[in-house]
Amino acid sequence: MGLNKPQQAVSSCDTRFRVFCAGRRTGKTYLSVRELAKFARHPDKRCLYIAPTYQMCRDIIWKDLKERLVRLNWIAKTNESRLELQLVNGSTIALRSGDAGQSLRGGGYDFVVFDEASDIDPEIFYEVIRPALSAQKPPGSVLFCVTPKGYNWFKDLY
């Protein structure tokens, strides 16, 4: 299945920080799965998906992500309890909760998806993830996906 025009515009954009602000059922999850796979196809990349809660990670993207990567024969190891995929090329894709906050600190990331970003504390991006992206050579990038929800930190970022 191809991308619709809004998805294509975001996917083809070459900026480091991309934003997909769209209503429900516009394909934000589909684009997220596709972008995670696009970045993880390169060897030894660290990709991260962050949703507001752990349950949202499991409910929103986990099944679709696994199914896509199984069809591609890319998965070497699956950790269901940690929501992590180790790929045959050495790349990893991990799903984490935005309410886990400081536990996201650690090594660098090559690509991060923030899903429903306006529901995640802005400090997670500015104090934890952005420095982890900058630790990479070249610096990592982010896709922010959000359903509009009024005036908040995401509006300022957008």
mmCIF file of all heavy atoms in Angstrom, residues 40-66:
data_model
loop_
_atom_site.group_PDB
_atom_site.id
_atom_site.type_symbol
_atom_site.label_atom_id
_atom_site.label_comp_id
_atom_site.label_asym_id
_atom_site.label_seq_id
_atom_site.Cartn_x
_atom_site.Cartn_y
_atom_site.Cartn_z
ATOM 1 N N ALA A 40 15.582 1.762 10.057
ATOM 2 C CA ALA A 40 16.184 0.539 10.598
ATOM 3 C C ALA A 40 16.764 -0.359 9.515
ATOM 4 O O ALA A 40 17.498 -1.295 9.825
ATOM 5 C CB ALA A 40 15.151 -0.231 11.415
ATOM 6 N N ARG A 41 16.488 -0.089 8.256
ATOM 7 C CA ARG A 41 17.036 -0.935 7.177
ATOM 8 C C ARG A 41 18.547 -0.799 7.069
ATOM 9 O O ARG A 41 19.219 -1.663 6.516
ATOM 10 C CB ARG A 41 16.361 -0.618 5.856
ATOM 11 C CG ARG A 41 16.850 0.632 5.171
ATOM 12 C CD ARG A 41 16.063 0.898 3.874
ATOM 13 N NE ARG A 41 16.656 1.922 3.069
ATOM 14 C CZ ARG A 41 16.470 3.228 3.193
ATOM 15 N NH1 ARG A 41 15.675 3.671 4.158
ATOM 16 N NH2 ARG A 41 17.064 4.090 2.399
ATOM 17 N N HIS A 42 19.087 0.279 7.598
ATOM 18 C CA HIS A 42 20.537 0.466 7.618
ATOM 19 C C HIS A 42 21.120 -0.271 8.822
ATOM 20 O O HIS A 42 20.532 -0.257 9.900
ATOM 21 C CB HIS A 42 20.884 1.957 7.694
ATOM 22 C CG HIS A 42 20.342 2.745 6.538
ATOM 23 N ND1 HIS A 42 20.845 2.647 5.258
ATOM 24 C CD2 HIS A 42 19.322 3.631 6.469
ATOM 25 C CE1 HIS A 42 20.164 3.438 4.460
ATOM 26 N NE2 HIS A 42 19.231 4.053 5.164
ATOM 27 N N PRO A 43 22.263 -0.908 8.691
ATOM 28 C CA PRO A 43 22.826 -1.705 9.782
ATOM 29 C C PRO A 43 23.140 -0.892 11.039
ATOM 30 O O PRO A 43 23.545 0.265 10.966
ATOM 31 C CB PRO A 43 24.127 -2.258 9.180
ATOM 32 C CG PRO A 43 23.926 -2.191 7.707
ATOM 33 C CD PRO A 43 23.047 -1.007 7.461
ATOM 34 N N ASP A 44 22.912 -1.540 12.178
ATOM 35 C CA ASP A 44 23.311 -1.035 13.494
ATOM 36 C C ASP A 44 22.689 0.307 13.870
ATOM 37 O O ASP A 44 23.315 1.116 14.544
ATOM 38 C CB ASP A 44 24.841 -0.953 13.589
ATOM 39 C CG ASP A 44 25.492 -2.299 13.344
ATOM 40 O OD1 ASP A 44 25.000 -3.306 13.897
ATOM 41 O OD2 ASP A 44 26.466 -2.356 12.573
ATOM 42 N N LYS A 45 21.450 0.535 13.474
ATOM 43 C CA LYS A 45 20.744 1.762 13.841
ATOM 44 C C LYS A 45 19.883 1.505 15.066
ATOM 45 O O LYS A 45 19.387 0.402 15.283
ATOM 46 C CB LYS A 45 19.860 2.264 12.683
ATOM 47 C CG LYS A 45 20.645 2.653 11.457
ATOM 48 C CD LYS A 45 21.568 3.812 11.739
ATOM 49 C CE LYS A 45 22.365 4.194 10.514
ATOM 50 N NZ LYS A 45 23.380 5.192 10.794
ATOM 51 N N ARG A 46 19.730 2.539 15.880
ATOM 52 C CA ARG A 46 18.871 2.465 17.067
ATOM 53 C C ARG A 46 17.656 3.346 16.833
ATOM 54 O O ARG A 46 17.783 4.561 16.741
ATOM 55 C CB ARG A 46 19.634 2.918 18.307
ATOM 56 C CG ARG A 46 20.746 1.949 18.670
ATOM 57 C CD ARG A 46 21.352 2.254 20.002
ATOM 58 N NE ARG A 46 20.347 2.122 21.041
ATOM 59 C CZ ARG A 46 20.416 2.744 22.205
ATOM 60 N NH1 ARG A 46 21.418 3.540 22.475
ATOM 61 N NH2 ARG A 46 19.473 2.583 23.118
ATOM 62 N N CYS A 47 16.500 2.716 16.719
ATOM 63 C CA CYS A 47 15.250 3.431 16.468
ATOM 64 C C CYS A 47 14.331 3.269 17.667
ATOM 65 O O CYS A 47 14.311 2.225 18.316
ATOM 66 C CB CYS A 47 14.573 2.891 15.221
ATOM 67 S SG CYS A 47 15.580 3.068 13.727
ATOM 68 N N LEU A 48 13.563 4.314 17.925
ATOM 69 C CA LEU A 48 12.717 4.353 19.108
ATOM 70 C C LEU A 48 11.360 4.927 18.744
ATOM 71 O O LEU A 48 11.276 5.897 17.989
ATOM 72 C CB LEU A 48 13.394 5.232 20.170
ATOM 73 C CG LEU A 48 12.714 5.413 21.501
ATOM 74 C CD1 LEU A 48 12.636 4.093 22.263
ATOM 75 C CD2 LEU A 48 13.480 6.446 22.334
ATOM 76 N N TYR A 49 10.311 4.326 19.285
ATOM 77 C CA TYR A 49 8.948 4.824 19.141
ATOM 78 C C TYR A 49 8.469 5.150 20.540
ATOM 79 O O TYR A 49 8.553 4.309 21.438
ATOM 80 C CB TYR A 49 8.069 3.751 18.497
ATOM 81 C CG TYR A 49 6.591 4.058 18.501
ATOM 82 C CD1 TYR A 49 6.004 4.748 17.446
ATOM 83 C CD2 TYR A 49 5.783 3.648 19.554
ATOM 84 C CE1 TYR A 49 4.643 5.015 17.442
ATOM 85 C CE2 TYR A 49 4.426 3.914 19.559
ATOM 86 C CZ TYR A 49 3.863 4.601 18.506
ATOM 87 O OH TYR A 49 2.517 4.868 18.512
ATOM 88 N N ILE A 50 7.961 6.364 20.732
ATOM 89 C CA ILE A 50 7.485 6.790 22.041
ATOM 90 C C ILE A 50 6.023 7.195 21.933
ATOM 91 O O ILE A 50 5.664 8.035 21.107
ATOM 92 C CB ILE A 50 8.299 7.988 22.576
ATOM 93 C CG1 ILE A 50 9.781 7.647 22.662
ATOM 94 C CG2 ILE A 50 7.769 8.429 23.943
ATOM 95 C CD1 ILE A 50 10.670 8.829 22.992
ATOM 96 N N ALA A 51 5.181 6.592 22.757
ATOM 97 C CA ALA A 51 3.773 6.965 22.889
ATOM 98 C C ALA A 51 3.558 7.394 24.345
ATOM 99 O O ALA A 51 4.391 7.111 25.209
ATOM 100 C CB ALA A 51 2.870 5.795 22.524
ATOM 101 N N PRO A 52 2.457 8.059 24.636
ATOM 102 C CA PRO A 52 2.237 8.533 26.002
ATOM 103 C C PRO A 52 2.267 7.442 27.075
ATOM 104 O O PRO A 52 2.730 7.678 28.184
ATOM 105 C CB PRO A 52 0.862 9.203 25.938
ATOM 106 C CG PRO A 52 0.763 9.681 24.526
ATOM 107 C CD PRO A 52 1.443 8.606 23.717
ATOM 108 N N THR A 53 1.771 6.238 26.762
ATOM 109 C CA THR A 53 1.769 5.152 27.743
ATOM 110 C C THR A 53 2.273 3.860 27.098
ATOM 111 O O THR A 53 2.246 3.699 25.875
ATOM 112 C CB THR A 53 0.352 4.884 28.305
ATOM 113 O OG1 THR A 53 -0.468 4.377 27.260
ATOM 114 C CG2 THR A 53 -0.264 6.144 28.903
ATOM 115 N N TYR A 54 2.692 2.933 27.951
ATOM 116 C CA TYR A 54 3.143 1.622 27.491
ATOM 117 C C TYR A 54 2.022 0.889 26.754
ATOM 118 O O TYR A 54 2.240 0.280 25.709
ATOM 119 C CB TYR A 54 3.613 0.816 28.707
ATOM 120 C CG TYR A 54 4.081 -0.574 28.386
ATOM 121 C CD1 TYR A 54 5.363 -0.802 27.912
ATOM 122 C CD2 TYR A 54 3.242 -1.674 28.569
ATOM 123 C CE1 TYR A 54 5.809 -2.086 27.619
ATOM 124 C CE2 TYR A 54 3.671 -2.948 28.283
ATOM 125 C CZ TYR A 54 4.950 -3.150 27.810
ATOM 126 O OH TYR A 54 5.373 -4.415 27.520
ATOM 127 N N GLN A 55 0.806 0.969 27.306
ATOM 128 C CA GLN A 55 -0.330 0.293 26.677
ATOM 129 C C GLN A 55 -0.602 0.845 25.285
ATOM 130 O O GLN A 55 -0.944 0.099 24.366
ATOM 131 C CB GLN A 55 -1.586 0.405 27.552
ATOM 132 C CG GLN A 55 -2.705 -0.500 27.093
ATOM 133 C CD GLN A 55 -2.322 -1.979 27.161
ATOM 134 O OE1 GLN A 55 -1.740 -2.439 28.136
ATOM 135 N NE2 GLN A 55 -2.633 -2.722 26.113
ATOM 136 N N MET A 56 -0.427 2.146 25.101
ATOM 137 C CA MET A 56 -0.608 2.737 23.770
ATOM 138 C C MET A 56 0.434 2.197 22.794
ATOM 139 O O MET A 56 0.116 1.949 21.630
ATOM 140 C CB MET A 56 -0.556 4.259 23.850
ATOM 141 C CG MET A 56 -1.775 4.870 24.511
ATOM 142 S SD MET A 56 -1.640 6.656 24.709
ATOM 143 C CE MET A 56 -2.008 7.191 23.045
ATOM 144 N N CYS A 57 1.661 2.007 23.252
ATOM 145 C CA CYS A 57 2.687 1.412 22.385
ATOM 146 C C CYS A 57 2.231 0.054 21.891
ATOM 147 O O CYS A 57 2.315 -0.252 20.694
ATOM 148 C CB CYS A 57 4.003 1.248 23.148
ATOM 149 S SG CYS A 57 4.879 2.757 23.532
ATOM 150 N N ARG A 58 1.764 -0.750 22.811
ATOM 151 C CA ARG A 58 1.317 -2.101 22.460
ATOM 152 C C ARG A 58 0.079 -2.055 21.563
ATOM 153 O O ARG A 58 0.005 -2.766 20.558
ATOM 154 C CB ARG A 58 1.021 -2.902 23.730
ATOM 155 C CG ARG A 58 0.666 -4.349 23.461
ATOM 156 C CD ARG A 58 0.563 -5.163 24.723
ATOM 157 N NE ARG A 58 1.830 -5.412 25.376
ATOM 158 C CZ ARG A 58 2.750 -6.270 24.953
ATOM 159 N NH1 ARG A 58 2.561 -6.955 23.848
ATOM 160 N NH2 ARG A 58 3.861 -6.450 25.625
ATOM 161 N N ASP A 59 -0.882 -1.201 21.897
ATOM 162 C CA ASP A 59 -2.147 -1.174 21.161
ATOM 163 C C ASP A 59 -2.038 -0.508 19.793
ATOM 164 O O ASP A 59 -2.688 -0.926 18.845
ATOM 165 C CB ASP A 59 -3.225 -0.428 21.968
ATOM 166 C CG ASP A 59 -3.642 -1.168 23.223
ATOM 167 O OD1 ASP A 59 -3.308 -2.361 23.366
ATOM 168 O OD2 ASP A 59 -4.290 -0.533 24.084
ATOM 169 N N ILE A 60 -1.242 0.532 19.682
ATOM 170 C CA ILE A 60 -1.218 1.335 18.465
ATOM 171 C C ILE A 60 -0.352 0.731 17.368
ATOM 172 O O ILE A 60 -0.762 0.643 16.217
ATOM 173 C CB ILE A 60 -0.751 2.781 18.768
ATOM 174 C CG1 ILE A 60 -1.788 3.501 19.636
ATOM 175 C CG2 ILE A 60 -0.499 3.565 17.496
ATOM 176 C CD1 ILE A 60 -1.327 4.850 20.161
ATOM 177 N N ILE A 61 0.863 0.309 17.700
ATOM 178 C CA ILE A 61 1.820 0.023 16.627
ATOM 179 C C ILE A 61 2.488 -1.350 16.685
ATOM 180 O O ILE A 61 2.952 -1.848 15.672
ATOM 181 C CB ILE A 61 2.899 1.136 16.596
ATOM 182 C CG1 ILE A 61 3.626 1.147 15.256
ATOM 183 C CG2 ILE A 61 3.832 1.030 17.771
ATOM 184 C CD1 ILE A 61 4.541 2.337 15.059
ATOM 185 N N TRP A 62 2.553 -1.981 17.836
ATOM 186 C CA TRP A 62 3.358 -3.191 18.011
ATOM 187 C C TRP A 62 3.008 -4.282 16.998
ATOM 188 O O TRP A 62 3.884 -4.832 16.323
ATOM 189 C CB TRP A 62 3.219 -3.696 19.442
ATOM 190 C CG TRP A 62 4.034 -4.902 19.791
ATOM 191 C CD1 TRP A 62 3.573 -6.095 20.245
ATOM 192 C CD2 TRP A 62 5.467 -5.037 19.736
ATOM 193 N NE1 TRP A 62 4.614 -6.958 20.484
ATOM 194 C CE2 TRP A 62 5.794 -6.334 20.175
ATOM 195 C CE3 TRP A 62 6.497 -4.190 19.360
ATOM 196 C CZ2 TRP A 62 7.096 -6.808 20.244
ATOM 197 C CZ3 TRP A 62 7.809 -4.657 19.431
ATOM 198 C CH2 TRP A 62 8.095 -5.949 19.865
ATOM 199 N N LYS A 63 1.735 -4.612 16.872
ATOM 200 C CA LYS A 63 1.325 -5.686 15.963
ATOM 201 C C LYS A 63 1.647 -5.335 14.504
ATOM 202 O O LYS A 63 2.211 -6.150 13.774
ATOM 203 C CB LYS A 63 -0.169 -5.960 16.120
ATOM 204 C CG LYS A 63 -0.677 -7.074 15.233
ATOM 205 C CD LYS A 63 -2.178 -7.281 15.409
ATOM 206 C CE LYS A 63 -2.666 -8.297 14.412
ATOM 207 N NZ LYS A 63 -4.122 -8.351 14.366
ATOM 208 N N ASP A 64 1.304 -4.125 14.089
ATOM 209 C CA ASP A 64 1.559 -3.710 12.699
ATOM 210 C C ASP A 64 3.052 -3.704 12.378
ATOM 211 O O ASP A 64 3.466 -4.133 11.299
ATOM 212 C CB ASP A 64 0.982 -2.315 12.434
ATOM 213 C CG ASP A 64 -0.530 -2.286 12.476
ATOM 214 O OD1 ASP A 64 -1.163 -3.354 12.320
ATOM 215 O OD2 ASP A 64 -1.087 -1.193 12.667
ATOM 216 N N LEU A 65 3.856 -3.211 13.300
ATOM 217 C CA LEU A 65 5.306 -3.159 13.095
ATOM 218 C C LEU A 65 5.880 -4.558 12.949
ATOM 219 O O LEU A 65 6.637 -4.840 12.019
ATOM 220 C CB LEU A 65 5.966 -2.412 14.254
ATOM 221 C CG LEU A 65 7.481 -2.269 14.202
ATOM 222 C CD1 LEU A 65 7.910 -1.443 12.997
ATOM 223 C CD2 LEU A 65 7.988 -1.627 15.496
ATOM 224 N N LYS A 66 5.516 -5.460 13.864
ATOM 225 C CA LYS A 66 6.012 -6.836 13.783
ATOM 226 C C LYS A 66 5.589 -7.506 12.483
ATOM 227 O O LYS A 66 6.408 -8.151 11.830
ATOM 228 C CB LYS A 66 5.512 -7.669 14.969
ATOM 229 C CG LYS A 66 6.226 -7.443 16.252
ATOM 230 C CD LYS A 66 5.888 -8.489 17.299
ATOM 231 C CE LYS A 66 4.428 -8.725 17.414
ATOM 232 N NZ LYS A 66 4.036 -9.697 18.428
#
